[in-house]
Structure formats: structure tokens, C-alpha cells
Amino acid sequence: MGALDHFSDLFDCSYGRSKLKKRKQLQTVEIKVRIDCEGCERKVKRALEGMKGVQQVDVERKANKVTVVGYVEPSKVVARVAHRTGKKAELWPYVPYDVVAHPYAPGVYDKKAPSGYVRRVDDPQTSQLARASSTEVRYTTAFSDENAQACAIM
């Protein structure tokens, strides 16, 4: 907290309001909305541009993705799109393909995902696939071409 914030709190003349007013953070909210045509794109864009705190709205029609930048809450953005357009909206459920250890594991791979993306999963069973036991690691590295002390039979 800077000196100016401290002094502004000391000399605050707003008696009816709380001194510890919650400030919204600048956020980037990505949501998934089915966008078929230019009319749908325009409808979604107009619904979000009229929202208080929104600074920028980007629509990617092919990926069915809408990116909103501003001082907004993600849940309110989703609710606004669903209410104003009548379309089903949800937070962006995908992550880039490179981030996931096992992109073809059940529950992670999604045929409906845009190219280069897989479904975000925080399932402990899926994360178990990423861990190999020490014996598995020893056997796989013993017959590896990168291992200088590898088996001489190869």
C-alpha cells in the first residue's frame, strides 16, 4: 500500500460507505459460446460491450471462443451472455495441448475441442498416468539410445 493510498484512507469523507471497498482486478475472461454466423457474433459482442467494466471483447467464431478483458467477474460475464443472447455459455474448458502430460488419456481428449486444445482436467486418476514408478523409469532408460551405459546388445 503506497503513501497516497494511506493518506486517501485517512481523509476519506464518505461516511456511508465502507472504507475497505473491494476493488476489482483487471481480468481476462475466456468463455465458450456456440457462434454460428455473423449475427450470433454481433449479438454476443453487443451484449458484452454494454456491460460495466468491459474494456475489450474479442470473438473467435471458428473456435467458439469469446475473450473479455476488463474489470469484471467471470460468473457475471457468463450469466450476461446466457441471459442476453439465450445461448449456453460456460467458462473456457480447454488448455493448450502442450500443457497436459497425457493428452490422449480418457477424460482429457475431447473430439469437440478446437485444434491444439484438450479439456482441462483436475482428476487425480489422470494425474496418476503422468507418474512412473522408479522401476519403470529404470527399465525404460536402460534401453534408451540417450543412455551412454545402455545395454550393449542394442
Side-chain angles (χ1 to χ4, degrees), residues 32-102:
K32 179 183 175 185
V33 182
R34 183 164 172 93
I35 302 171
D36 300 321
C37 60
E38 288 181 26
C40 296
E41 182 179 341
R42 218 174 310 120
K43 186 188 270 189
V44 170
K45 199 166 188 174
R46 281 187 186 161
L48 290 171
E49 284 176 343
M51 191 173 176
K52 184 179 177 183
V54 172
Q55 306 236 327
Q56 181 181 358
V57 178
D58 294 323
V59 179
E60 296 177 35
R61 191 184 335 166
K62 287 187 177 182
N64 290 326
K65 180 179 181 181
V66 178
T67 306
V68 179
V69 178
Y71 299 96
V72 292
E73 293 179 27
S75 59
K76 288 186 178 180
V77 172
V78 171
R80 173 95 174 205
V81 170
H83 177 70
R84 288 283 177 106
T85 64
K87 294 181 172 289
K88 182 184 171 202
E90 62 179 322
L91 290 174
W92 188 250
Y94 304 116
V95 293
Y97 186 86
D98 303 338
V99 177
V100 180
H102 293 284

Side-chain angles (χ1 to χ4, degrees), residues 72-142:
V72 292
E73 293 179 27
S75 59
K76 288 186 178 180
V77 172
V78 171
R80 173 95 174 205
V81 170
H83 177 70
R84 288 283 177 106
T85 64
K87 294 181 172 289
K88 182 184 171 202
E90 62 179 322
L91 290 174
W92 188 250
Y94 304 116
V95 293
Y97 186 86
D98 303 338
V99 177
V100 180
H102 293 284
Y104 293 108
V108 177
Y109 181 74
D110 189 2
K111 292 179 184 177
K112 295 178 183 177
S115 62
Y117 288 95
V118 292
R119 189 165 284 281
R120 178 187 302 137
V121 175
D122 298 326
D123 187 19
Q125 284 186 328
T126 308
S127 62
Q128 286 289 342
L129 292 173
R131 294 190 195 112
S133 67
S134 60
T135 55
E136 290 174 352
V137 171
R138 269 189 301 193
Y139 287 130
T140 55
T141 57

Side-chain angles (χ1 to χ4, degrees), residues 7-15 17-20:
F7 285 121
S8 68
D9 287 343
L10 288 176
F11 298 111
D12 189 15
C13 296
S14 59
Y15 295 106
R17 298 182 189 156
S18 172
K19 281 191 174 184
L20 299 173

